[in-house]
Amino acid sequence: MTLKFKLKSGEKLSVFFNDFIKDESKNQYGVVSWNASKDKKHYKEAYAYVNKDANGRMYFNYNGEIVYTDDFLAMTPDELLQEMRKNKNLRAEELVYTLMKHGIDSLIVKRPKKPMTEFNIGGMFYGFESSSNDDKSKWNRVDYKFQEIDGFPLHRNYKIRLVPLKDEHIGVYASDTYYISDLIHLLIGCTDDYEIRVNN
């Protein structure tokens, strides 16, 4: 994914981080690449390997300056919510950056939900969510948290899951999986069904 950094000079640097290419035996945990063209009109790619220091912190070398990957620029949860109210075309990456920087539990989503209907089939219990046209104002307002999906780490900016926040709600209310690009549109445009807020 693309990450942005502020260098010591004050310049902003945008890099593409690829963690598919790695060789841990050589202390290489991915590659970052950027446009090194001086006139910015043409693309001239430069790259650097991502390494780990003695404390396990990942970094890369940009023209002699050490840049730590966890120093990427991201809005705070409050700033993100303010931006979502103003910018209907906010990129999905901005949600990902905030969750990566401030914790996947830094934001929660309140949703109108009905309890699932349970069926016992051969001793196995299955829950099914009803999506009938009932009056949603009578449904329960349930808090959901963000959760990474196995095989789809957050920084890949692909899929994410909303699961009930409270333990007693797990198995009662359905969890849902989303493409992150779809979810950001729901959070911005469907605020009656998706009320996002800071998790205090």
Side-chain angles (χ1 to χ4, degrees), residues 149-179:
I149 301 171
D150 289 342
F152 300 104
L154 187 57
H155 71 269
R156 297 268 166 83
N157 188 29
Y158 186 53
K159 287 185 178 180
I160 199 165
R161 182 176 289 129
L162 288 178
V163 301
L165 176 67
K166 295 181 180 178
D167 290 341
E168 60 264 32
H169 288 165
I170 295 174
V172 177
Y173 300 99
S175 299
D176 297 294
T177 300
Y178 302 86
Y179 292 103

Side-chain angles (χ1 to χ4, degrees), residues 16-96:
F16 182 78
F17 175 52
N18 176 352
D19 68 344
F20 288 105
I21 302 172
K22 63 172 66 174
D23 186 345
E24 296 182 16
S25 67
K26 296 180 180 178
N27 192 28
Q28 295 172 353
Y29 293 85
V31 175
V32 292
S33 57
W34 61 88
N35 183 5
S37 173
K38 300 236 182 247
D39 60 14
K40 304 297 181 185
K41 293 180 181 178
H42 304 90
Y43 187 80
K44 179 182 178 183
E45 186 174 63
Y47 72 92
Y49 287 107
V50 176
N51 308 118
K52 283 187 180 179
D53 66 13
N55 297 316
R57 196 174 174 199
M58 294 200 301
Y59 68 92
F60 62 92
N61 189 313
Y62 174 75
N63 295 335
E65 180 176 341
I66 297 299
V67 180
Y68 285 95
T69 58
D70 57 6
D71 281 339
F72 64 89
L73 300 176
M75 287 182 268
T76 67
D78 282 317
E79 289 169 342
L80 178 70
L81 296 188
Q82 291 174 24
E83 189 63 26
M84 289 172 71
R85 287 190 282 269
K86 295 186 298 184
N87 184 357
K88 301 300 182 187
N89 297 311
L90 188 69
R91 295 180 309 130
E93 290 89 341
E94 299 299 339
L95 171 62
V96 174

Side-chain angles (χ1 to χ4, degrees), residues 75-164:
M75 287 182 268
T76 67
D78 282 317
E79 289 169 342
L80 178 70
L81 296 188
Q82 291 174 24
E83 189 63 26
M84 289 172 71
R85 287 190 282 269
K86 295 186 298 184
N87 184 357
K88 301 300 182 187
N89 297 311
L90 188 69
R91 295 180 309 130
E93 290 89 341
E94 299 299 339
L95 171 62
V96 174
Y97 297 150
T98 297
L99 294 176
M100 287 173 56
K101 188 82 165 185
H102 299 281
I104 199 165
D105 59 348
S106 61
L107 293 164
I108 57 177
V109 180
K110 189 177 284 290
R111 300 213 49 216
K113 284 281 191 173
K114 292 197 305 183
M116 291 186 290
T117 303
E118 284 191 356
F119 294 93
N120 183 348
I121 304 174
M124 296 290 290
F125 287 90
Y126 298 89
F128 295 91
E129 183 178 29
S130 170
S131 58
S132 61
N133 293 323
D134 295 348
D135 181 3
K136 286 186 179 180
S137 67
K138 297 178 182 178
W139 293 10
N140 298 323
R141 304 288 293 183
V142 181
D143 286 331
Y144 277 74
K145 62 183 178 180
F146 293 94
Q147 184 182 75
E148 282 188 289
I149 301 171
D150 289 342
F152 300 104
L154 187 57
H155 71 269
R156 297 268 166 83
N157 188 29
Y158 186 53
K159 287 185 178 180
I160 199 165
R161 182 176 289 129
L162 288 178
V163 301

